[in-house]
Amino acid sequence: MVPNFQIHSKEDYHRIYEQSRLDPEGFWKRIAEEFYWQKKWDKTLEWNFDAPEIKWFAGGKLNITENCIDRHLADKSDQPAIIWEPNNPSENTRTISYKELHNDVCKFAWVLQKNGVKKGDRVLIYMGMVPELAMALLACARIGAIHSVVFGGFSAQSISDRLHDAKSEFIITQDGTYRGAKVIPLKPTMDDALVNCDFVKKVFVLARTNNPVSMIRDRDVWLEEELSGVSEEDFPAEIMDAEDPLFILYTSGSTGKPKGVVHTTAGYMVWTAYSFSNVFQYQPGEIHFCTADIGWITGHSYIVYGPLCMGATSLMFEGIPTYPDAGRFWEIVEKHQVNILYTAPTAIRSLMAFDKNHIHRNNLDSLRVLGTVGEPINEEAWQWYFKNIGKEECPVVDTWWQTETGGILISNLADITPAIPTMATLPLPGVFPLLVDESGKEIAADSEKTVSGNLCIRFPWPGMLRTTWGDHERCRTNYFATYPGLYFTGDGAMRDPQGNYRITGRVDDVLNVSGHRIGTAEVENAINMHTGVTESAVVGYPHDIKGQGIYAYVIFNHLHVDEEVTRRDLLETVTRVIGPIAKPDKIQFVSGLPKTRSGKIMRRILRKIAEGETENLGDTTTLLDPQIVEEIVKGKM
Ligand code: WT7
């Protein structure tokens, strides 16, 4: 038995949307009743967006893992919960049934408990894409510990920042991970991160690549050894409050260091299952392949929690789309008879560039639904995906959402509501978006023309963030203060007369590089750590494959050294401070930056220059030193 709230037709969608509008609480009450609760909730919703304070299903008691695993044991115990495809195609696939997943997660939970992990503790997870990663999340949830996954591409400094921010005393990591032809060391990076984190009590290490690692006595333990010594019995799921935190996931904003977005148990569970079931129209027995890494929210919601709550089979892939060659995704689709493929525009664009033979080699007939997420999808990529991969028979769902939203908010529903190339289209029932202008005034619906504005949401949905870890005020100012009474997404959007949304991208200083969210301020801070740098300014520019590239303007104080060497040095600095994903694509050395008389950098001008615009730079008369603009234009990379 799985939750049942699937929408079956276009008429259904409109009728249910209207129901959710007229009686949101009644709507969510009925959806929440589809889950397994140890105790039903007292109050469906309490909220105000000013504090903000949002409580869904207050008083309810549950454990998300009972919904993801135990409830499927009656009728799906032998069905695969997770199918794992290794980086190297000649290594064996692993298939983990629901029964096995139950056993593995319980053992993992016993290990955590034996080593002192308790409800409410923060556990930092830094691993590759192996089944044990999914099990680590679930084992934390089983005992009520709060997981904080850090993507395996982040640097020691980034791990250390996150460890300190959440005071995580426990770590689950791995010796190394395979990524295409490379072995990426993880434990050695963790060791660097741990140099000044003496509050860390235990580090569990999974052996995968057997690269050399050092183990600190009494602190570091091999996971396998620990697992071999524990009970085979059921680990009783900790009883959690609906609003107990389930996890923290750090994400970049327009200022400062990444913030820890906090999601809570019941609302997040309801949201991931509800959106998964409806957007992809998941049918029992189907294989769902989400290509994201569990280090990002997409992996949390649509590899682990959403699919498992719906009793689905979730395919997890360790490697990259271009290894051993650009046909790898299509090979996996045929090998495992994948029905739903959910990937990012950047992956589509990079694969488009390769020879079509890579596609024709494999039979893709099993595919029923194609999904895209993470950034606006351009028309060319959309059409290529639809024609070459879906053979014009699979609906493409363009799913818009964010780390903060927990799951999909705006998307067409596969074969239920129409797909429109490059448009996320309509909000899910229970989601109430609006567009506002700069002053916060709502842009009214227009039955004649397409309107545009800043995308906000006017009413809470169960999967929304509740706070930012350790700094509630930051949550308020970031999301709820720009337009009082509204949740502000940071995105700009257009809406056509039929109410379909096209998300155009961030309107703040957040970049979207290959679907990865990166704050310009973060990259600037990293660059500025180089001793030779006086000041820097980072902006985005359109990039064919990545969507956005990173353009850095840098004032360097002794440029007599070789420019190329300095560039390499700067890239290394950024890699060390953040990770390779934040490396600028272009670095231009400048003698000054365009600033207003009050000392503010005019990013608008820098953005235009990076985009290749040299003529219409707008009003530059208010600049402190208008000449600098000319110099920068001349030196453009
Ligand atoms: C930002 C959120 C959502 C999980 C992956 C990224 C952009 C996301 C779309 C889409 C246009 C999109 C937005 C958003 N974005 N999906 N379908 N169309 N833009 O999560 O790292 O929190 O980034 O990604 O700009 O704000 P994230």
Side-chain angles (χ1 to χ4, degrees), residues 251 297-298 372-376 398-404 489 491 503 506 512 515 517:
T251 192
I297 190 73
T298 309
T372 154
V373 60
E375 45 178 321
D398 181 350
T399 64
W400 173 84
W401 58 296
Q402 312 178 293
T403 304
E404 294 85 345
T489 63
D491 279 323
I503 317 300
R506 305 287 309 195
N512 193 329
R517 192 161 146 183

Short mmCIF file of all heavy atoms in Angstrom, two decimals, residues 251 297-298 372-376 398-404 489 491 503 506 512 515 517, ligand 1:
data_model
loop_
_atom_site.label_atom_id
_atom_site.label_comp_id
_atom_site.label_asym_id
_atom_site.label_seq_id
_atom_site.Cartn_x
_atom_site.Cartn_y
_atom_site.Cartn_z
N THR A 251 23.35 25.90 1.23
CA THR A 251 23.22 26.41 -0.12
C THR A 251 23.66 27.87 -0.17
O THR A 251 23.62 28.57 0.84
CB THR A 251 21.79 26.23 -0.66
OG1 THR A 251 21.80 26.49 -2.07
CG2 THR A 251 20.80 27.16 0.01
N ILE A 297 20.01 18.94 -3.22
CA ILE A 297 18.64 18.69 -2.80
C ILE A 297 17.91 17.75 -3.76
O ILE A 297 17.09 16.94 -3.34
CB ILE A 297 17.83 20.02 -2.64
CG1 ILE A 297 16.48 19.80 -1.98
CG2 ILE A 297 17.64 20.71 -3.98
CD1 ILE A 297 16.52 19.52 -0.51
N THR A 298 18.22 17.82 -5.06
CA THR A 298 17.52 16.96 -6.02
C THR A 298 17.71 15.49 -5.65
O THR A 298 16.77 14.69 -5.72
CB THR A 298 18.03 17.22 -7.45
OG1 THR A 298 17.98 18.62 -7.69
CG2 THR A 298 17.17 16.52 -8.48
N THR A 372 13.51 17.61 -16.37
CA THR A 372 14.64 18.52 -16.32
C THR A 372 14.52 19.42 -15.09
O THR A 372 13.42 19.74 -14.65
CB THR A 372 14.80 19.34 -17.63
OG1 THR A 372 15.47 20.57 -17.34
CG2 THR A 372 13.48 19.66 -18.27
N VAL A 373 15.68 19.80 -14.54
CA VAL A 373 15.69 20.58 -13.31
C VAL A 373 17.02 21.33 -13.15
O VAL A 373 18.03 20.88 -13.65
CB VAL A 373 15.51 19.68 -12.07
CG1 VAL A 373 16.60 18.64 -11.95
CG2 VAL A 373 15.43 20.51 -10.79
N GLY A 374 16.95 22.43 -12.44
CA GLY A 374 18.18 23.08 -11.98
C GLY A 374 18.46 24.42 -12.59
O GLY A 374 19.14 25.25 -11.99
N GLU A 375 17.96 24.66 -13.79
CA GLU A 375 18.23 25.92 -14.47
C GLU A 375 17.24 26.03 -15.62
O GLU A 375 16.63 25.03 -16.01
CB GLU A 375 19.66 25.95 -15.00
CG GLU A 375 19.99 24.66 -15.68
CD GLU A 375 21.37 24.56 -16.29
OE1 GLU A 375 21.84 25.55 -16.87
OE2 GLU A 375 21.91 23.47 -16.25
N PRO A 376 17.10 27.22 -16.16
CA PRO A 376 16.19 27.35 -17.30
C PRO A 376 16.71 26.47 -18.44
O PRO A 376 17.91 26.40 -18.67
CB PRO A 376 16.31 28.84 -17.67
CG PRO A 376 16.83 29.52 -16.43
CD PRO A 376 17.70 28.50 -15.76
N ASP A 398 9.35 20.09 -16.99
CA ASP A 398 10.32 21.13 -16.64
C ASP A 398 9.97 21.55 -15.22
O ASP A 398 9.01 22.27 -14.98
CB ASP A 398 10.19 22.29 -17.63
CG ASP A 398 11.18 23.41 -17.36
OD1 ASP A 398 11.85 23.39 -16.30
OD2 ASP A 398 11.27 24.32 -18.20
N THR A 399 10.77 21.06 -14.27
CA THR A 399 10.40 21.19 -12.86
C THR A 399 11.16 22.33 -12.20
O THR A 399 12.38 22.28 -12.08
CB THR A 399 10.73 19.88 -12.11
OG1 THR A 399 12.14 19.66 -12.13
CG2 THR A 399 10.03 18.68 -12.75
N TRP A 400 10.45 23.33 -11.76
CA TRP A 400 11.10 24.44 -11.06
C TRP A 400 10.96 24.28 -9.55
O TRP A 400 9.85 24.07 -9.05
CB TRP A 400 10.51 25.80 -11.47
CG TRP A 400 11.11 26.88 -10.60
CD1 TRP A 400 12.30 27.50 -10.81
CD2 TRP A 400 10.59 27.39 -9.37
NE1 TRP A 400 12.55 28.38 -9.78
CE2 TRP A 400 11.52 28.33 -8.89
CE3 TRP A 400 9.42 27.14 -8.64
CZ2 TRP A 400 11.32 29.03 -7.70
CZ3 TRP A 400 9.22 27.83 -7.44
CH2 TRP A 400 10.18 28.78 -6.99
N TRP A 401 12.07 24.40 -8.87
CA TRP A 401 12.07 24.42 -7.41
C TRP A 401 13.42 24.83 -6.90
O TRP A 401 14.27 25.23 -7.69
CB TRP A 401 11.60 23.09 -6.83
CG TRP A 401 12.37 21.86 -7.23
CD1 TRP A 401 12.49 21.34 -8.49
CD2 TRP A 401 13.12 21.00 -6.37
NE1 TRP A 401 13.24 20.19 -8.46
CE2 TRP A 401 13.65 19.96 -7.17
CE3 TRP A 401 13.38 20.97 -5.01
CZ2 TRP A 401 14.43 18.92 -6.64
CZ3 TRP A 401 14.14 19.94 -4.48
CH2 TRP A 401 14.66 18.93 -5.30
N GLN A 402 13.65 24.76 -5.60
CA GLN A 402 14.88 25.23 -4.98
C GLN A 402 15.19 24.37 -3.76
O GLN A 402 14.29 23.72 -3.22
CB GLN A 402 14.69 26.67 -4.48
CG GLN A 402 14.08 27.61 -5.47
CD GLN A 402 13.89 29.00 -4.87
OE1 GLN A 402 13.09 29.17 -3.96
NE2 GLN A 402 14.60 29.97 -5.39
N THR A 403 16.43 24.46 -3.29
CA THR A 403 16.80 23.79 -2.04
C THR A 403 15.79 24.15 -0.96
O THR A 403 15.35 23.30 -0.19
CB THR A 403 18.21 24.24 -1.61
OG1 THR A 403 19.12 23.97 -2.68
CG2 THR A 403 18.67 23.50 -0.37
N GLU A 404 15.41 25.40 -0.92
CA GLU A 404 14.52 25.90 0.13
C GLU A 404 13.10 25.38 0.01
O GLU A 404 12.37 25.35 1.01
CB GLU A 404 14.46 27.43 0.08
CG GLU A 404 15.76 28.15 0.40
CD GLU A 404 16.69 28.29 -0.80
OE1 GLU A 404 16.46 27.61 -1.82
OE2 GLU A 404 17.65 29.08 -0.71
N THR A 489 11.58 34.09 -3.91
CA THR A 489 12.40 32.99 -4.42
C THR A 489 13.80 33.41 -4.87
O THR A 489 14.68 32.57 -5.01
CB THR A 489 11.72 32.35 -5.65
OG1 THR A 489 11.66 33.37 -6.68
CG2 THR A 489 10.31 31.87 -5.33
N ASP A 491 14.15 34.44 -7.86
CA ASP A 491 14.06 34.23 -9.30
C ASP A 491 13.16 35.26 -9.97
O ASP A 491 12.19 35.73 -9.38
CB ASP A 491 13.48 32.84 -9.61
CG ASP A 491 14.51 31.74 -9.51
OD1 ASP A 491 15.68 31.98 -9.88
OD2 ASP A 491 14.16 30.64 -9.04
N ILE A 503 10.50 30.44 -15.89
CA ILE A 503 11.45 30.98 -14.92
C ILE A 503 12.67 31.46 -15.70
O ILE A 503 13.28 30.67 -16.44
CB ILE A 503 11.88 29.92 -13.88
CG1 ILE A 503 10.68 29.09 -13.39
CG2 ILE A 503 12.67 30.55 -12.74
CD1 ILE A 503 9.58 29.85 -12.73
N ARG A 506 17.99 33.82 -11.80
CA ARG A 506 18.14 34.57 -10.56
C ARG A 506 18.17 36.07 -10.82
O ARG A 506 18.75 36.52 -11.80
CB ARG A 506 19.44 34.17 -9.85
CG ARG A 506 19.58 32.69 -9.60
CD ARG A 506 18.72 32.14 -8.53
NE ARG A 506 18.77 32.85 -7.28
CZ ARG A 506 18.29 32.35 -6.13
NH1 ARG A 506 17.75 31.13 -6.10
NH2 ARG A 506 18.34 33.04 -5.04
N ASN A 512 24.19 30.33 -11.40
CA ASN A 512 23.78 28.95 -11.62
C ASN A 512 24.71 28.36 -12.67
O ASN A 512 24.51 28.55 -13.86
CB ASN A 512 22.32 28.93 -12.07
CG ASN A 512 21.75 27.53 -12.00
OD1 ASN A 512 22.46 26.55 -12.19
ND2 ASN A 512 20.46 27.43 -11.74
N GLY A 515 23.94 24.06 -13.25
CA GLY A 515 22.92 23.64 -12.29
C GLY A 515 23.39 23.72 -10.84
O GLY A 515 22.65 23.38 -9.93
N ARG A 517 24.51 25.96 -7.64
CA ARG A 517 24.26 27.31 -7.16
C ARG A 517 25.50 27.85 -6.46
O ARG A 517 26.02 27.23 -5.55
CB ARG A 517 23.11 27.19 -6.18
CG ARG A 517 22.53 28.44 -5.79
CD ARG A 517 21.16 28.07 -5.24
NE ARG A 517 20.84 28.96 -4.18
CZ ARG A 517 19.76 28.87 -3.46
NH1 ARG A 517 18.90 27.87 -3.66
NH2 ARG A 517 19.51 29.74 -2.53
C1 WT7 B 1 17.58 27.64 -8.44
C2 WT7 B 1 17.60 26.75 -7.25
C3 WT7 B 1 15.78 22.59 -7.69
C4 WT7 B 1 16.82 21.64 -7.44
C5 WT7 B 1 18.10 21.94 -8.12
C6 WT7 B 1 18.61 23.35 -7.91
C7 WT7 B 1 17.01 27.45 -10.70
C8 WT7 B 1 15.77 25.26 -10.71
C9 WT7 B 1 14.65 25.41 -12.57
C10 WT7 B 1 13.83 25.29 -13.73
C11 WT7 B 1 14.52 27.44 -14.36
C12 WT7 B 1 15.39 26.59 -12.40
C13 WT7 B 1 16.31 28.65 -10.11
C14 WT7 B 1 16.26 28.34 -8.63
N1 WT7 B 1 16.08 26.47 -11.25
N2 WT7 B 1 14.91 24.61 -11.51
N3 WT7 B 1 13.12 24.19 -13.99
N4 WT7 B 1 13.80 26.33 -14.59
N5 WT7 B 1 15.31 27.60 -13.30
O1 WT7 B 1 18.39 23.79 -6.60
O2 WT7 B 1 20.62 24.76 -6.09
O3 WT7 B 1 18.59 25.39 -4.74
O4 WT7 B 1 18.87 26.19 -7.11
O5 WT7 B 1 17.76 26.87 -9.63
O6 WT7 B 1 17.08 29.79 -10.35
O7 WT7 B 1 16.16 29.47 -7.81
P1 WT7 B 1 19.15 25.03 -6.06
#
